[in-house]
């Protein structure tokens, strides 16, 4: 089953509750929240208070992507705010196993993020402890970027690693996901598709999500 996770980074924040409920009604599976600190990535977004507001607006799983330095300091706050899934960038963690265990101890499901230039082999000794891996198919920091084509080969390698280890780890993809790219991404082995502008900038959320789901599952 392929899952669609609209990213609220592209939502209208003056109507955030209505936007979240609109994509939920339209068939979204998860709500994706991009947290940026202006240091690890060149942008600044929001913190646990917004995630808490998202939790009050929906019963869907909330997927929090931490693009921040020293994520261990903030993981408990995001988990308490209502995050279902929390992912961290391997480069931001001095002790990645410890960070992954902290996410789980706080009651959330852990994931690790691979930037476009970060090799799949980074996950060799942590993969079995993860619920999902987030493959970035753009350089993190801004929405609306163009999909990096060699991300397809990276997903194929990751899928093989997961299969060879006999795991059920989900592969999530974020960056340039749209009706034009999702079929090839799904064929490579991705399970969860983060889409921001492709959904929130479309005139009909339901039609866009349905089209993306059909393309991903064909």
């Amino acid at each position: 089953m392929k899952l669609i996770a609209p990213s609220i980074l592209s939502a209208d924040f003056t109507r955030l509750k209505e936007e979240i409920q609109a994509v939920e009604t339209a068939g979204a599976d998860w709500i994706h929240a991009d947290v940026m600190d202006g240091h690890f990535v060149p942008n600044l977004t929001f913190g646990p208070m917004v995630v808490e507001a998202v939790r009050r607006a929906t019963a869907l799983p909330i997927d929090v992507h931490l693009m921040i330095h020293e994520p261990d300091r903030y993981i408990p706050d995001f988990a308490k705010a209502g995050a279902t899934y929390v992912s961290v960038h391997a480069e931001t963690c001095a002790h990645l196993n410890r960070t992954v265990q902290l996410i789980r101890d706080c009651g959330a499901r852990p994931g690790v993020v691979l930037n476009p230039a970060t090799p799949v082999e980074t996950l060799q000794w942590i993969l079995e402890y993860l619920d999902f891996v987030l493959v970035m198919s753009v350089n993190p920091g801004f929405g609306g970027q163009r999909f990096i084509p060699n991300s397809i080969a990276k997903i194929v390698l990751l899928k093989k690693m997961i299969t060879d280890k006999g795991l059920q780890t989900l592969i999530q993809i974020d960056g340039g996901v749209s009706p034009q790219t999702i079929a090839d991404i799904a064929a490579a082995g991705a399970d969860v598709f983060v889409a921001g502008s492709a959904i929130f900038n479309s005139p009909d959320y339901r039609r866009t999500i349905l089209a993306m789901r059909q393309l991903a599952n064909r």
Side-chain angles (χ1 to χ4, degrees):
M1 177 64 178
K2 306 296 186 179
L3 305 174
I4 307 296
S7 169
I8 61 170
L9 186 64
S10 298
D12 180 352
F13 268 67
T14 66
R15 303 173 49 252
L16 185 57
K17 179 179 179 180
E18 291 86 350
E19 289 273 70
I20 291 167
Q21 292 176 342
V23 291
E24 180 174 3
T25 300
D29 300 292
W30 295 4
I31 300 296
H32 186 82
D34 289 303
V35 177
M36 308 180 193
D37 63 1
H39 296 282
F40 181 64
V41 293
N43 201 357
L44 186 66
T45 56
F46 49 77
M49 288 180 64
V50 170
V51 172
E52 186 178 2
V54 174
R55 172 47 68 217
R56 292 198 301 268
T58 182
L60 290 178
I62 301 174
D63 169 34
V64 174
H65 174 193
L66 295 180
M67 290 173 264
I68 63 175
H69 283 301
E70 299 183 355
D72 295 41
R73 294 177 56 190
Y74 304 99
I75 285 166
D77 293 331
F78 281 102
K80 185 178 179 181
T84 312
Y85 297 89
V86 175
S87 58
V88 295
H89 285 254
E91 295 87 351
T92 67
C93 302
H95 305 285
L96 187 55
N97 285 73
R98 184 179 297 164
T99 301
V100 166
Q101 188 59 49
L102 174 62
I103 294 170
R104 201 174 293 284
D105 288 345
C106 288
R109 299 176 185 180
V112 169
V113 188
L114 298 178
N115 275 337
T118 304
V120 171
E121 289 75 17
T122 301
L123 302 174
Q124 179 67 31
W125 303 107
I126 191 69
L127 189 59
E128 64 196 274
Y129 302 107
L130 305 178
D131 281 50
F132 68 109
V133 176
L134 170 51
V135 175
M136 291 300 299
S137 45
V138 299
N139 287 295
F142 297 95
Q145 297 183 68
R146 185 174 299 177
F147 181 81
I148 297 175
N150 67 7
S151 302
I152 296 291
K154 193 172 193 177
I155 294 168
V156 171
L157 286 174
L158 178 57
K159 186 68 174 181
K160 184 178 186 304
M161 182 184 289
I162 290 169
T163 301
D164 288 349
K165 288 178 175 288
L167 303 174
Q168 301 297 318
T169 313
L170 296 175
I171 299 175
Q172 185 181 64
I173 185 81
D174 184 1
V177 177
S178 70
Q180 289 71 46
T181 59
I182 194 169
D184 289 341
I185 298 168
D191 305 290
V192 185
F193 304 85
V194 177
S197 56
I199 293 174
F200 285 107
N201 290 350
S202 71
D204 187 327
Y205 297 169
R206 180 183 294 277
R207 180 175 296 180
T208 301
I209 290 173
L210 177 61
M212 292 176 71
R213 194 185 306 282
Q214 290 173 338
L215 289 164
N217 283 288
R218 73 179 184 182

